Structures are given as C-alpha cells and as structure tokens.
Amino acid sequence: MTADAAKSMIQIAREDGAAHTVPPVDLGARVRELRKARGWTLEQAATQAGLARSTLSKIENAQMSPTYDALKKLAVGLEISVPQLFTPPAAGQINGRMAVTKSGEGAGQATATYEHELLADALRKKNMLPYRARIRARQMEEFDGWVRHDGEEFLYVLTGVIKLFTEFYEPIEMRRGDSAYYDATMGHNVISVSDDDAMILWVTSLV
C-alpha cells in the first residue's frame, strides 16, 4: 500500500469525526456525582478512599485542592482511574453502538501490496479503524516508500509469516499469534515471507 493510499483510507474513516472541545470538569461536583451514583454517604466514601471525612467534604465543596496522593486514593476508592475523575460522562452515558461484520462481508479495498477488508465500516465517528489485510507484497521494493500516517497502530498475525519493517528498528519476523503496537507516524511496511499470502488484523487509532 502506498503512503497516499494509507492516508486516504484513514482520512475517509475520520471524515465524520469532527473535533470537539470538552469543557473543564468541576472536580468537586464530579466526585460528589460518583459518590452518590454508588449510594455512599460522605463517611462511607471517605472510608473507602482512606481519607478523612472532612477532607472529602472540602474536596466536594471546592474548599481545597487535593494532592495527587489524595486523587489516587479517591480513584482507588471509587474504582476508577485518576483521569476519569476529570472526564465528564458522555451525553446519555451509554449509546449502545455496535457493528457486526460477518466473515468475508467487510468492505474491500485492494492495492498492489495489500488487500484490505474494512471491518465495522457502517459505524461513523469511530475512534479506531479495524481491518483485516491480505499481505501480497514479498519484498520492500514493491512499496513506493514508507507508509506513515497519524495515530498509533496495532498489528496481529492471523495466518502465515510476515516481516515487519519499520523506520527505526531492525526488521522483525512474526508468525501467527504474534503482535506489535507502534507509532504509525514512524515509517512502516509489511511483507509476507510465507509461500501463501499472510493474513493480519490491523487496528489504527483515529484520534
């Protein structure tokens, strides 16, 4: 796949995902909301987090700025991650989106080096672009330079044996069940070293 083809595929997947600005979160209100969602009193939540009741009360009422240690205790007590303390819940909380792609029914996109089958193609505004690829290329000379694009990428070998070439690392031979996660702005290409075309699963981030 050429660099232009890769960028085109990623751009198409992003076309309906307009950027938006998330307003800052009121930490006190967020903590209170999380506590009440669990049906906990101040005393119960403070005990769960290992904090003094008065400390938790001051945090909820914006009377003090918690230390990072206190934030970690809060997160552990509420059974969430620290970033989730500052992340507003999405509108509607759960939207129930789902897309099922039966084997062989993905949208096809073929190039001289790869044959892609786009998965979950019906969903718009995705955060990831999943696709299965048949690796036709057998040598690096078949590529028109490095493939590179924004985001991060996950690769999982389904069948056959491949060689993963990257801009800053030595080529790596990979077999069924092997996987790699890498920065997609780094040049990368994949060839099959099997007698038959290898098959891989690729997942590319879109945010």
Side-chain angles (χ1 to χ4, degrees):
M1 178 168 61
T2 65
D4 286 343
K7 288 178 181 177
S8 175
M9 188 170 70
I10 302 300
Q11 183 60 42
I12 289 170
R14 285 196 173 110
E15 64 185 1
D16 292 324
H20 61 282
T21 302
V22 178
V25 171
D26 180 331
L27 178 62
R30 175 72 170 142
V31 171
R32 186 184 303 109
E33 175 188 50
L34 290 166
R35 171 175 66 79
K36 290 186 174 181
R38 288 157 176 75
W40 294 346
T41 63
L42 264 174
E43 191 71 41
Q44 289 172 320
T47 300
Q48 192 76 11
L51 296 171
R53 182 187 181 284
S54 59
T55 298
L56 181 56
S57 177
K58 288 177 181 178
I59 291 173
E60 287 194 1
N61 290 289
Q63 294 174 353
M64 69 173 289
S65 297
T67 63
Y68 184 68
D69 184 57
L71 287 175
K72 285 196 296 183
K73 288 182 177 180
L74 268 175
V76 170
L78 294 167
E79 298 180 340
I80 60 174
S81 66
V82 171
Q84 285 177 292
L85 287 172
F86 300 92
T87 305
Q93 297 275 330
I94 301 170
N95 60 30
R97 293 206 314 162
M98 184 174 79
V100 175
T101 307
K102 294 293 186 70
S103 180
E105 294 183 359
Q109 186 175 79
T111 70
T113 50
Y114 302 142
E115 184 178 331
H116 296 305
E117 181 187 3
L118 304 182
L119 309 174
D121 192 48
L123 286 183
R124 293 295 177 259
K125 297 186 179 180
K126 295 191 291 287
N127 292 324
M128 301 178 291
L129 173 62
Y131 51 104
R132 189 163 34 229
R134 179 183 297 278
I135 311 302
R136 295 173 166 175
R138 292 298 193 278
Q139 52 187 357
M140 277 289 287
E141 289 71 24
E142 296 178 50
F143 294 92
D144 181 21
W146 290 113
V147 170
R148 64 174 89 243
H149 47 82
D150 291 341
E152 296 179 316
E153 201 156 71
F154 176 77
L155 176 161
Y156 184 90
V157 183
L158 298 170
T159 65
V161 184
I162 66 166
K163 187 168 283 188
L164 171 62
F165 291 84
T166 54
E167 193 171 6
F168 305 127
Y169 298 87
E170 290 298 315
I172 305 169
E173 188 169 287
M174 302 173 65
R175 298 175 178 274
R176 179 179 178 180
D178 293 344
S179 63
Y181 187 106
Y182 49 88
D183 174 7
T185 62
M186 171 178 64
H188 55 280
N189 291 320
V190 174
I191 67 169
S192 174
V193 294
S194 306
D195 291 336
D196 297 324
D197 294 343
M199 293 290 293
I200 66 175
L201 173 68
W202 251 319
V203 182
T204 301
S205 66
L206 296 175
V207 292

